[in-house]
Amino acid sequence: MPELIAPPEKHTLGAYGIWLFNEKHPQIKKIKKEVSPSVHGDRHWDSSYLLMDYFTQNAPKKKMRVLDVGCGWGPTSIFFASKGCKVTGMDIDKDVFAFLDAQAEFNGVKVSKLTCAMKDMKKKDLENFDVIVGGDICFWDELADEWFAMLKRAAQAGVKKVVLADPGRSPFLALIDKCEKRWPTELLMWYALEPQKFEGSLMVVTLNK
């Protein structure tokens, strides 16, 4: 992991080898005047850092095809792209992509974008990915059902692994219960140390060897 010594400019923060804009950065202020994300895409969510820490310790292969569900402003997507992965940031709200694009450009990486809901992802769409990740994306009861349905399609499509991060909400835990009955599933208590300490849970599901 590259050592982050000092911010390249004001109002940025470093985490796991990438740089992100904070709320006071001029780019963020400018974008907020132009778009207004409506589905919780209004900030960086802490679970992204849990995913970064996990995949720093479990390094992804270069050119691994990653689908970041509910990518929001894109910190997790940018992290994977910085590791040489082929990344698609997926979100139901297209207005988040202006934030993702600005931060991806700042880090010198490219992230493909997909406006889509989980329920609309077909088996043929999921065949394009090796790994699915998501942070803070199982916060309603119906989302646990949507995740489980999509993971069944993903397993049929040949996706190998799913890693989700969450503070430990009840829908997330319900999803783990569902997955444990079908695939090898781990619940890990995890913490990240960058940009500061965050604690939460990870669900790691092996869909295919």
Side-chain angles (χ1 to χ4, degrees):
M1 182 179 68
E3 183 179 358
L4 298 174
I5 298 172
E9 60 180 64
K10 288 178 64 176
H11 305 309
T12 60
L13 57 93
Y16 297 98
I18 64 172
W19 293 104
L20 301 170
F21 300 145
N22 70 22
E23 298 281 339
K24 295 182 179 180
H25 193 278
Q27 278 278 73
I28 297 298
K29 290 182 176 180
K30 179 176 182 291
I31 295 169
K32 282 187 172 182
K33 290 179 181 178
E34 297 169 352
V35 298
S36 182
S38 57
V39 193
H40 305 291
D42 59 352
R43 70 189 76 178
H44 296 121
W45 292 96
D46 294 348
S47 290
S48 298
Y49 305 116
L50 299 177
L51 291 168
M52 292 181 200
D53 191 274
Y54 176 83
F55 281 99
T56 295
Q57 297 186 43
N58 299 271
K61 295 179 180 179
K62 284 192 175 182
K63 297 189 178 179
M64 186 174 78
R65 301 169 302 167
V66 180
L67 176 64
D68 180 13
V69 177
C71 64
W73 290 12
T76 305
S77 295
I78 293 164
F79 167 82
F80 276 106
S82 75
K83 303 300 181 187
C85 299
K86 297 177 67 174
V87 189
T88 297
M90 173 180 142
D91 206 285
I92 197 170
D93 186 354
K94 62 178 174 46
D95 286 339
V96 301
F97 293 136
F99 300 94
L100 187 158
D101 284 339
Q103 296 192 115
E105 182 180 359
F106 190 62
N107 283 275
V109 299
K110 291 185 178 180
V111 175
S112 298
K113 299 178 292 294
L114 175 63
T115 305
C116 191
M118 287 188 289
K119 61 185 178 183
D120 296 325
M121 288 293 283
K122 309 299 184 189
K123 176 185 170 184
K124 63 180 177 60
D125 302 317
L126 294 163
E127 288 173 352
N128 298 317
F129 303 103
D130 304 307
V131 173
I132 297 173
V133 299
D136 281 305
I137 191 61
C138 193
F139 44 84
W140 292 327
D141 291 339
E142 57 265 35
L143 286 174
D145 294 331
E146 285 188 31
W147 265 110
F148 188 64
M150 188 177 77
L151 294 192
K152 287 192 287 186
R153 297 192 296 275
Q156 295 170 354
V159 176
K160 293 179 173 60
K161 189 174 183 178
V162 178
V163 184
L164 303 186
D166 193 87
R169 302 178 182 92
S170 57
F172 175 78
L173 298 176
L175 175 61
I176 291 174
D177 288 341
K178 289 174 179 284
C179 290
E180 283 178 333
K181 295 171 183 175
R182 194 171 185 109
W183 307 288
T185 301
E186 295 179 274
L187 170 60
L188 306 175
M189 301 299 105
W190 210 264
Y191 64 89
L193 293 175
E194 300 177 29
Q196 60 190 55
K197 187 171 182 180
F198 301 106
E199 297 181 355
S201 303
L202 292 174
M203 180 187 81
V204 182
V205 183
T206 302
L207 298 178
N208 291 286
K209 294 291 186 182

